[in-house]
Amino acid sequence: MGKTIKLISGDGEMFEVEEAVAFQSNIIKSLADEDNADDCIPLPRVDSQILSKVLEFCRKHANSPSVHTKFAAIPSELCPKHDGSAAGASSSESSSAHSETCRACYDAVMKLVQWDLEFVKVDLDLIHHLLKAANYLDIEDLMFMAVEGAANAIRGNNPEEIRKLFDLENDFTPEEEKEILKEYSWLDDPFEP
Amino acid sequence: MAKRTRMELAAVTLAPASYSPSVSSSTIHSLDDGCLTHVFSFLMPIPDRYSIALVCHRWRYLACHPRLWLRVERSTKNTSEPGVFPNLQDAISAARPGDTILISPCRDHIACNIQIKKPLCLIGGGELPDDTVLTCSRGSESALEFLSTCKITNLTIRTELGYCLLHRSGRLTIEGCILQCEENPLDYLSFPIISTATVPNAFRQSLKEHGSDSITVAQTRIEGGAKAVFTSGNLTLQRVRAIYMRTCIFFWFEVGEQEL
């Protein structure tokens, strides 16, 4: 195991993970850089149940290209096929050329996207906790996927179904609803995908 | 996101009863506005953003917020901002069906032969339609060509020679706009509105779920050109009303299937 980081959840549980995993979080990365490495990093706002889910995500994403933010610039050292031995692979130009044509990289990224989509197929309360944790710990990819998970819960549902899912009350009067539908009257079928 | 120092995180640990382990105290509907808007931005306008606008007042406010609209701004300093485009053509290409495009109040937007093949709403960002001007230069057939149901509001569309709006198909709604054909010796060739749409016969008409191709004009000034509307298909001008003001005339009318 390489260098590890110790994290303490809000309810006092200790998690020891590799640097590459923990450093998916920009916050943890900057805290670890700051002072001595033996200390544990407390994360009071994340409880153990959520932190273990977050670390599961980070483990999968460590040493993988970030699929959501930098798709075009996968460095060749992260490619499953190439092992960084290609000449001139360090320049950013050849990295982007590499990722666009490299089938192995593309497949790896697609597999990761599939995994991510499965990961956020969970109940909305868990997605909410993941959103808050991703925001608090500044984990870009997890933020993206948690938002996608919440959006996915909404997609294709009518207003009443959405209200049930999110536990919301309909605070429109029938007149207000009619007004809103009138605003949409310029469209042929606003509710038809 | 601001970097949090260890001091700040430690301060939170020391605060009394700051950590509450129960899940029920923070559920999905305690998401803040910024987060919800972020989620809504991932949704297609049709049908999802329209569905969420009917969920509750708060969601309607966020779903219909201009933050989710595309913007056309001529000044180049905004080119890196997502959702902001330097010209209308780019915004239309990037838009998804059902999107709203806000065009900044500026008098030198260009609109030449811009085809619109998806349902969009174009809104002028000024207080008056006079503030947002789209100009179609001589040499282009029309400023905007509509092949889909659309709505335009609070805009001025000006053409040097040709048509302001070329309506091919779909239901076009024009509200509070100004359509101008410049005065010139050849202005008998220009029309503010031209429609080539042809309504199908009665049998095929009954197979269509929603209204057929038509144009609805409300509170719109029409100036210049040979005549206000030219139809080369079989739509006819109907229900014309005009209000004469001191310096201009406002029109309301429809162009649609001939009513028997």
Side-chain angles (χ1 to χ4, degrees):
Chain A
M1 219 153 66
K3 197 146 183 270
T4 62
I5 301 283
K6 296 194 186 84
L7 305 167
I8 310 244
S9 70
D11 48 351
E13 204 174 311
M14 211 259 290
F15 293 81
E16 187 165 356
V17 290
E18 283 181 28
E19 249 184 23
V21 174
F23 285 5
Q24 296 281 303
S25 154
N26 290 327
I27 294 294
I28 295 179
K29 188 159 186 243
S30 63
L31 286 174
D33 285 346
E34 242 174 59
D35 48 42
N36 37 40
D38 317 320
D39 279 351
C40 304
I41 297 179
L43 302 172
R45 282 204 233 158
V46 191
D47 74 16
S48 51
Q49 186 200 4
I50 304 303
L51 188 53
S52 70
K53 267 307 242 185
V54 170
L55 292 174
E56 185 190 339
F57 184 90
C58 294
R59 223 167 267 124
K60 190 74 182 176
H61 278 247
N63 302 318
S64 285
S66 167
V67 313
H68 311 295
T69 53
K70 305 175 205 62
F71 190 81
I74 300 173
S76 47
E77 57 263 22
L78 293 181
C79 173
K81 196 167 82 178
H82 304 235
D83 43 39
S85 55
S90 52
S91 78
S92 58
E93 270 173 20
S94 57
S95 307
S96 56
H98 160 259
S99 62
E100 275 160 31
T101 56
C102 176
R103 185 69 211 203
C105 263
Y106 178 81
D107 286 345
V109 164
M110 284 302 117
K111 262 179 92 179
L112 188 57
V113 169
Q114 287 308 315
W115 187 92
D116 281 353
L117 289 171
E118 278 305 314
F119 183 80
V120 291
K121 268 198 193 141
V122 288
D123 67 80
L124 283 172
D125 281 342
L126 182 52
I127 289 186
H128 173 240
H129 287 291
L130 290 175
L131 262 170
K132 284 182 92 166
N135 190 28
Y136 175 65
L137 296 170
D138 192 9
I139 307 174
E140 226 168 324
D141 286 353
L142 181 59
M143 189 71 195
F144 185 97
M145 282 323 297
V147 171
E148 172 62 27
N152 221 23
I154 297 173
R155 266 183 208 120
N157 285 321
N158 66 38
E160 186 49 45
E161 287 162 349
I162 297 171
R163 274 183 223 120
K164 276 210 198 74
L165 275 171
F166 286 77
D167 194 24
L168 293 164
E169 283 232 15
N170 181 4
D171 55 2
F172 287 123
T173 64
E175 292 76 28
E176 283 169 336
E177 278 185 7
K178 267 205 205 98
E179 265 308 305
I180 298 173
L181 288 170
K182 215 170 117 197
E183 273 174 36
Y184 298 168
S185 59
W186 68 270
L187 281 161
D188 292 331
D189 253 324
F191 306 108
E192 207 61 37
Chain B
M1 286 173 223
K3 285 194 152 79
R4 291 181 185 77
T5 62
R6 177 163 297 201
M7 293 291 281
E8 282 170 26
L9 282 182
V12 177
T13 2
L14 293 172
S18 60
Y19 171 72
S20 59
S22 80
V23 166
S24 62
S25 63
S26 65
T27 53
I28 190 71
H29 54 82
S30 68
L31 280 179
D32 63 36
D33 286 359
C35 225
L36 261 187
T37 304
H38 194 180
V39 175
F40 293 171
S41 72
F42 276 45
L43 296 171
M44 293 289 278
I46 293 177
D48 299 313
R49 270 204 240 143
Y50 288 101
S51 295
I52 59 183
L54 281 169
V55 166
C56 63
H57 277 109
R58 181 184 173 220
W59 280 39
R60 176 169 181 226
Y61 171 73
L62 295 174
C64 300
H65 200 276
R67 220 178 302 153
L68 289 172
W69 295 354
L70 288 79
R71 281 161 33 215
V72 177
E73 282 174 26
R74 295 273 289 162
S75 61
T76 50
K77 61 180 162 74
N78 275 327
T79 43
S80 59
E81 215 184 306
V84 180
F85 302 87
N87 59 65
L88 182 56
Q89 177 67 77
D90 287 356
I92 288 173
S93 304
R96 294 170 296 179
D99 261 330
T100 299
I101 299 177
L102 182 68
I103 305 172
S104 66
C106 155
R107 317 199 73 169
D108 52 8
H109 290 286
I110 310 279
C112 295
N113 292 330
I114 296 184
Q115 273 194 342
I116 305 180
K117 296 184 189 170
K118 47 199 151 175
L120 295 176
C121 181
L122 307 184
I123 301 184
E127 267 190 51
L128 295 169
D130 311 66
D131 301 333
T132 312
V133 182
L134 310 182
T135 304
C136 174
S137 55
R138 171 187 295 263
S140 302
E141 187 182 26
S142 65
L144 302 173
E145 182 180 352
F146 294 94
L147 294 101
S148 166
T149 291
C150 286
K151 176 175 175 176
I152 66 171
T153 178
N154 204 34
L155 290 173
T156 298
I157 300 175
R158 183 180 291 155
T159 178
E160 293 174 3
L161 184 72
Y163 322 127
C164 296
L165 306 177
L166 171 51
H167 169 249
R168 299 270 191 210
S169 64
R171 290 186 309 127
L172 178 57
T173 304
I174 305 166
E175 237 176 59
C177 290
I178 303 174
L179 306 178
Q180 285 171 340
C181 292
E182 256 186 31
E183 255 190 61
N184 65 61
L186 293 173
D187 66 359
Y188 63 89
L189 295 174
S190 14
F191 301 96
I193 303 175
I194 175 170
S195 176
T196 63
T198 304
V199 173
N201 64 36
F203 173 66
R204 282 170 60 202
Q205 177 59 35
S206 64
L207 296 177
K208 266 190 164 199
E209 279 170 19
H210 21 263
S212 57
D213 305 336
S214 64
I215 305 175
T216 303
V217 172
Q219 203 179 334
T220 290
R221 283 161 51 188
I222 300 188
E223 292 155 15
K227 55 175 178 167
V229 184
F230 180 79
T231 61
S232 68
N234 62 3
L235 300 185
T236 60
L237 186 60
Q238 298 157 32
R239 290 198 275 276
V240 182
R241 285 183 295 138
I243 292 186
Y244 289 75
M245 308 291 281
R246 205 156 47 87
T247 54
C248 59
I249 310 171
F250 289 99
F251 288 100
W252 283 254
F253 57 81
E254 277 165 41
V255 181
E257 193 186 351
Q258 170 106 52
E259 281 172 4
L260 299 164

